[in-house]
Amino acid sequence: MATLSSCASIKRHNEQRASYIPPDRLKEDVDYAYAKLQKMHPQLYWYIPKQQLEHKLDSLKQTLTEPLTPLQFYFRFQPVIADIREGHLSLRIPRKKFTKSEIKKLEHQKGLFSRFEYYISDDQMYIIQNNDSIENIQPGTEILSINNVPVSTYIKKYRSLISSDGYNTTFQPYFLKDLFFNYYTAENGLENKVTLETIYKGEKHSYTLTRETKSDTDLEKDKEMKKRTQERKLNDYVASSNSYNRSFKFLDKDSSIAYIKVKSFSREYSEEFYKKTFSKIKNAKSDYLIIDVRNNYGGSLYEINNLYSYLADKPFTLIKPSQVTSRDVPLRTNYFRKSTPLEFAFKSIAYPSYFFAQAFSTYKKEGKVFYKMKADKPMKPNKEAFNGKVFVLINGGSFSASSIITAKLKNDKRAILVGEETGGANDGTVAGFYSYQKLPNSEIRFPIGLLLVQPNIEFSDSKKGVVPDVSIKENMQDIIDKKDPQLDWIKNEIAKEKAKI
């Protein structure tokens, strides 16, 4: 019965996604979204004046003169949402849903575009890694067109859908390369064959990519990758990318330079990871620590608060009190969202406890409402805290929680930041937890962040990312050649210091 219900739900979703919605209904959705933002978003006009935002919304409504599908409407509405310049705020792409049998079939096939890694610069896209040596396409090959449509056309269109926090200049290329084919597939469907026109070292070439069936060896490898060993748990293994969220090593023979790479602050097993890692660093009597949060889009506030306790040299408070728009906002988090019938039953039992916990989670001060958070309470440094010199690697892909911890480290003069301006704002962001809205007519999902989360630092009002102490940009050739000029600068700096001793 549940399977039949699920199939009917998927069919209805896909039919609705293909339907055309009259202009007056689309305008209703615009008004609905704005009303919800005004009610729930604690810092809506941080980067855009109210009058300017309302002018943009009115201008959008004036262009809605013909029926559109939800996807067409998304491509019209999302650029206005992006103009709010709040990186966590975004409409969700109305995607096609697949049945279990369709998903199983796709799992037995290799991806069409995911077998390459990409680099975007201005309106150009390059292949920088060819994981399966497909057609012997060389790293550094520029993709000029996909099925005769210039890639630059797609990039210009998709760039308008992405915003970072404020007037940050580095975030878009990183996020766009990761989302490009999500947008492309939403527009063009899940294709089985595409033609790429490319250029490499002045020579043009055309390639036809096809969706291949996985071999038995590939399927066995997939199964192996999904196994959760103790090491994989501790380092937070991600099967889809065959990589770890956390890793640790010493960069020299005498263990004087410790290196921690965090790809995402997922919280899972993070306490155990940091406990073991900093114990090893202490036992090794390391003088230097490098923390790498490049391409880390953020995650758990709990994890960065814990990590900071291993870096602090005095008592600290990580964030300022987190503001919400009203006392009832914490109850608007869609508690039963995405629950299976069994999960719904368990959640129903637990709901009264959840309700009272959320209901008493706010307090009022000086006319404003705040949400109680552990990270806004004073903390002492961990007894295993590192006392040596700290370097932190950042880039435009360092977003959200990555920006909060790096802004705090810089403000407290506890680390030297090396790389480029972070993708997340220096002065905080709006995230924490979300109210998952659904526009009534297009049924587009619209998660709205409810908490204003700001690092406990002097407010800069820069409206930009965290600026590094030492600015070093990595270029495409560095990535292809597996060179790391940012890490190399730190190593050279340490070598100079050691030479003076």
Side-chain angles (χ1 to χ4, degrees):
M1 194 72 171
T3 306
L4 287 173
S5 173
S6 174
C7 287
S9 170
I10 290 168
K11 185 183 177 187
R12 185 207 160 279
H13 170 88
N14 290 336
E15 284 173 352
Q16 191 276 335
R17 184 178 175 271
S19 65
Y20 282 84
I21 302 156
D24 58 328
R25 296 292 179 87
L26 297 172
K27 291 173 187 177
E28 283 177 12
D29 278 7
V30 174
D31 291 337
Y32 177 90
Y34 185 43
K36 291 295 181 184
L37 282 171
Q38 287 177 300
K39 192 167 188 178
M40 297 183 188
H41 197 286
Q43 195 68 294
L44 184 57
Y45 308 110
W46 195 347
Y47 303 114
I48 185 170
K50 183 178 181 181
Q51 190 178 355
Q52 190 181 337
L53 175 56
E54 289 180 351
H55 175 72
K56 285 178 180 288
L57 292 167
D58 287 340
S59 298
L60 168 66
K61 287 195 285 186
Q62 285 172 28
T63 69
L64 299 173
T65 57
E66 57 188 5
L68 300 174
T69 65
L71 186 65
Q72 290 169 336
F73 178 51
Y74 167 84
F75 279 108
R76 299 277 280 276
F77 194 7
Q78 176 54 28
V80 178
I81 298 297
D83 282 340
I84 295 170
R85 296 182 178 275
E86 203 282 280
H88 289 84
L89 189 65
S90 178
L91 299 166
R92 291 292 180 256
I93 308 168
R95 300 172 183 275
K96 180 186 174 183
K97 284 187 178 179
F98 296 94
T99 62
K100 284 183 179 177
S101 60
E102 287 172 328
I103 291 168
K104 195 170 183 179
K105 186 180 176 184
L106 285 169
E107 285 174 348
H108 282 70
Q109 295 177 331
K110 293 185 179 181
L112 203 56
F113 299 109
S114 59
R115 295 159 78 189
F116 300 105
E117 288 182 27
Y118 304 92
Y119 182 90
I120 287 178
S121 176
D122 298 321
D123 294 335
Q124 295 167 288
M125 173 184 270
Y126 300 87
I127 290 171
I128 55 167
Q129 196 165 317
N130 184 353
N131 298 321
D132 293 346
S133 303
I134 301 161
E135 297 274 3
N136 202 31
I137 298 172
Q138 294 300 305
T141 296
E142 182 184 354
I143 305 173
L144 299 174
S145 69
I146 305 173
N147 288 343
N148 299 316
V149 178
V151 164
S152 58
T153 302
Y154 287 120
I155 290 176
K156 286 170 188 169
K157 182 178 184 180
Y158 299 159
R159 186 182 284 122
S160 69
L161 307 172
I162 294 170
S163 74
S164 55
D165 288 332
Y167 293 86
N168 163 277
T169 57
T170 58
F171 180 66
Q172 273 191 341
Y174 291 92
F175 206 48
L176 184 53
K177 76 174 174 61
D178 289 344
L179 284 191
F180 182 93
F181 288 105
N182 287 8
Y183 295 134
Y184 177 88
T185 304
E187 274 198 281
N188 298 284
L190 213 56
E191 298 167 315
N192 289 315
K193 186 168 76 171
V194 293
T195 301
L196 304 182
E197 187 190 351
T198 67
I199 187 167
Y200 180 70
K201 291 187 175 178
E203 287 188 24
K204 288 189 176 181
H205 203 291
S206 188
Y207 298 98
T208 299
L209 303 182
T210 55
R211 194 177 291 278
E212 299 172 22
T213 302
K214 289 180 181 176
S215 66
D216 290 341
T217 308
D218 291 326
L219 293 171
E220 202 57 46
K221 200 185 289 181
D222 288 350
K223 215 182 275 182
E224 192 62 35
M225 280 162 62
K226 286 176 184 174
K227 289 180 181 176
R228 299 279 281 169
T229 62
Q230 192 56 37
E231 184 204 356
R232 286 182 173 184
K233 285 178 184 176
L234 184 66
N235 297 294
D236 197 14
Y237 178 73
V238 182
S240 59
S241 61
N242 190 23
S243 65
Y244 294 97
N245 267 338
R246 296 181 210 95
S247 58
F248 162 72
K249 61 184 175 182
F250 292 108
L251 296 185
D252 54 350
K253 287 177 183 176
D254 63 2
S255 302
S256 66
I257 308 170
Y259 172 87
I260 297 172
K261 168 76 176 170
V262 189
K263 290 185 177 180
S264 174
F265 293 113
S266 66
R267 180 169 177 174
E268 194 174 4
Y269 289 93
S270 62
E271 283 186 72
E272 192 180 347
F273 173 83
Y274 294 121
K275 186 179 179 182
K276 288 185 174 180
T277 296
F278 280 94
S279 178
K280 288 175 186 173
I281 293 170
K282 191 169 188 177
N283 290 338
K285 297 179 181 174
S286 303
D287 298 308
Y288 301 94
L289 170 61
I290 302 168
I291 298 175
D292 190 345
V293 291
R294 291 175 295 182
N295 307 306
N296 180 328
Y297 289 145
S300 166
L301 198 59
Y302 180 92
E303 180 173 339
I304 62 168
N305 194 38
N306 183 39
L307 172 56
Y308 202 91
S309 74
Y310 286 97
L311 306 173
D313 53 9
K314 59 190 174 195
F316 70 97
T317 304
L318 184 70
I319 62 169
K320 296 174 181 176
S322 298
Q323 195 178 331
V324 291
T325 56
S326 65
R327 282 187 177 277
D328 68 337
V329 154
L331 296 169
R332 299 174 182 270
T333 54
N334 311 78
Y335 176 75
F336 292 102
R337 179 176 168 268
K338 287 190 174 180
S339 299
T340 64
L342 186 63
E343 286 169 340
F344 188 91
F346 281 115
K347 282 184 175 182
S348 298
I349 297 166
Y351 184 72
S353 301
Y354 166 81
F355 177 86
F356 283 110
Q358 290 293 77
F360 292 103
S361 63
T362 60
Y363 63 95
K364 215 166 184 180
K365 190 177 179 182
E366 296 174 2
K368 294 177 180 177
V369 181
F370 298 92
Y371 185 81
K372 296 172 186 174
M373 303 275 280
K374 185 181 178 182
D376 68 19
K377 304 289 183 291
M379 276 188 72
K380 291 178 181 176
N382 191 287
K383 61 182 181 182
E384 300 284 347
F386 177 73
N387 297 313
K389 193 166 186 177
V390 181
F391 293 90
V392 180
L393 287 160
I394 55 173
N395 67 7
S398 307
F399 184 70
S400 191
S402 296
S403 298
I404 288 167
I405 191 169
T406 50
K408 178 67 174 164
L409 285 164
K410 183 177 181 179
N411 178 83
D412 294 355
K413 296 181 171 52
R414 186 62 192 98
I416 295 169
L417 309 187
V418 179
E420 61 180 359
E421 178 192 352
T422 64
N426 183 82
D427 290 320
T429 191
V430 175
F433 48 81
Y434 294 81
S435 178
Y436 292 85
Q437 297 297 313
K438 182 168 78 170
L439 306 191
N441 301 302
S442 62
E443 297 189 13
I444 292 175
R445 306 282 171 174
F446 188 30
I448 299 173
L450 303 176
L451 283 184
L452 174 60
V453 183
Q454 295 180 283
N456 186 33
I457 62 173
E458 188 178 337
F459 186 70
S460 74
D461 200 23
S462 67
K463 294 182 168 61
K464 292 186 72 177
V466 185
V467 177
D469 298 297
V470 181
S471 185
I472 300 170
K473 189 156 171 57
E474 178 184 60
N475 61 41
M476 183 178 74
Q477 200 56 49
D478 290 329
I479 299 168
I480 291 170
D481 295 341
K482 296 189 171 18
K483 290 180 180 176
D484 192 336
Q486 296 160 338
L487 180 59
D488 287 345
W489 183 90
I490 296 174
K491 286 179 177 177
N492 290 336
E493 193 67 12
I494 292 171
K496 283 182 204 171
E497 287 190 12
K498 282 184 171 182
K500 289 177 186 175
I501 299 170

